[in-house]
């Protein structure tokens, strides 16, 4: 099951790196999935829509989309909400994975562009699962999603102390090896099944 989720995460990440994010093939799910994108109307600025603070700094997104997947063999339903921040060079993403049946937050994945000790920038990947708190015992994750509207989702998330997955020693600022997010509230995010 973890392998399936990891492959799904990689597929979604690969799609977000391309400008062609409208259609994707996902094995063992529906043959074709069309993402509907609906910008949230809360706190819009010229640099995007404010979502949360990451380690005390404002983080805004420029695009948001959702998708609800049902695994053909297991019947497990997963709702994924992706917030993307377009940068001059590259993107940052924050993804929330919810159990489609219980509507509870199961996983958070954050990809941030961070400065390195060598003076460049790297994509720092952070991930936290409800069923995997061994990496950092003080981590906290909770939240719910509302899919009662047929095309738009709303929800919330509380996430703290997410540990960086790979090459944390390369970061210029060691305090960014673990991140915490302020409370997340979202609504009106378009999703498809």
């Amino acid at each position: 099951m973890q392998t399936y989720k990891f492959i799904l995460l990689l597929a979604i990440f690969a799609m977000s790196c391309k400008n062609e994010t409208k259609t994707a093939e996902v094995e063992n799910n529906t043959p074709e999935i069309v993402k509907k994108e609906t910008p949230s109307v809360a706190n819009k600025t010229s640099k995007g829509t404010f979502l949360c603070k990451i380690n005390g700094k404002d983080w805004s997104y420029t695009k948001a989309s959702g998708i609800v997947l049902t695994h053909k063999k297991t019947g497990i339903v997963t709702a994924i909400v992706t917030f993307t921040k377009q940068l001059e060079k590259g993107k940052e993403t924050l993804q929330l994975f919810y159990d489609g049946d219980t509507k509870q937050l199961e996983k958070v994945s954050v990809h941030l562009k961070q400065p390195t000790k060598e003076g460049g920038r790297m994509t720092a990947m952070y991930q936290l699962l409800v069923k995997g708190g061994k990496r950092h015992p003080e981590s906290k994750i909770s939240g719910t999603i509302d899919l009662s509207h047929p095309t738009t989702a709303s929800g919330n998330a509380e996430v703290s102390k997410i540990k960086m997955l790979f090459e944390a020693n390369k970061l210029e600022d060691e305090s960014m090896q673990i991140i915490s997010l302020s409370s997340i509230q979202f609504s009106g995010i378009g999703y498809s099944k």
Side-chain angles (χ1 to χ4, degrees):
M1 186 64 199
Q2 288 295 351
T3 303
Y4 169 75
K5 287 183 180 180
F6 182 73
I7 289 171
L8 179 60
L9 174 65
L10 284 178
I12 291 170
F13 181 70
M15 291 182 318
S16 70
C17 291
K18 296 180 182 179
N19 288 334
E20 302 172 14
T21 59
K22 296 290 182 196
T23 306
E25 297 269 340
V26 180
E27 192 173 314
N28 293 328
N29 290 314
T30 56
E32 187 174 293
I33 299 166
V34 180
K35 288 186 176 183
K36 295 180 182 177
E37 297 175 9
T38 306
S40 177
V41 290
N43 300 326
K44 284 201 170 210
T45 68
S46 61
K47 294 183 181 181
T49 302
F50 175 79
L51 181 66
C52 64
K53 289 183 180 284
I54 299 179
N55 282 4
K57 295 181 182 176
D58 288 356
W59 193 85
S60 299
Y61 63 93
T62 52
K63 183 169 59 173
S65 62
I67 192 164
V68 177
L69 304 169
T70 302
H71 190 276
K72 282 186 179 179
K73 291 182 181 178
T74 64
I76 294 173
V77 179
T78 304
I80 306 166
V81 180
T82 303
F83 300 95
T84 304
K85 179 179 188 173
Q86 184 65 51
L87 304 172
E88 285 184 31
K89 291 185 179 180
K91 298 177 183 179
E92 293 183 336
T93 60
L94 190 152
Q95 289 185 303
L96 304 171
F97 295 76
Y98 294 88
D99 179 305
D101 295 321
T102 67
K103 310 297 189 263
Q104 296 297 308
L105 183 63
E106 293 184 313
K107 180 170 78 171
V108 175
S109 178
V110 182
H111 295 179
L112 301 175
K113 294 288 186 183
Q114 300 289 13
T116 64
K117 291 177 182 175
E118 291 80 32
R121 293 183 74 75
M122 68 180 277
T123 299
M125 294 183 278
Y126 306 85
Q127 188 175 46
L128 182 60
L129 297 105
V130 168
K131 298 178 184 176
K134 295 176 185 173
R135 292 182 54 81
H136 197 70
E138 296 87 27
S139 299
K140 292 189 169 113
I141 179 172
S142 66
T144 58
I145 191 167
D146 179 1
L147 300 172
S148 60
H149 189 278
T151 60
T152 60
S154 59
N156 60 60
E158 296 286 336
V159 184
S160 63
K161 301 199 179 190
I162 308 173
K163 191 171 184 180
M164 189 171 163
L165 292 176
F166 310 106
E167 303 179 313
N169 60 336
K170 290 186 176 183
L171 289 178
E172 177 184 76
D173 183 359
E174 289 184 15
S175 70
M176 289 305 290
Q177 291 178 2
I178 297 174
I179 61 170
S180 289
L181 286 60
S182 65
S183 294
I184 295 173
Q185 299 284 333
F186 61 90
S187 63
I189 305 300
Y191 75 91
S192 61
K193 293 184 178 184

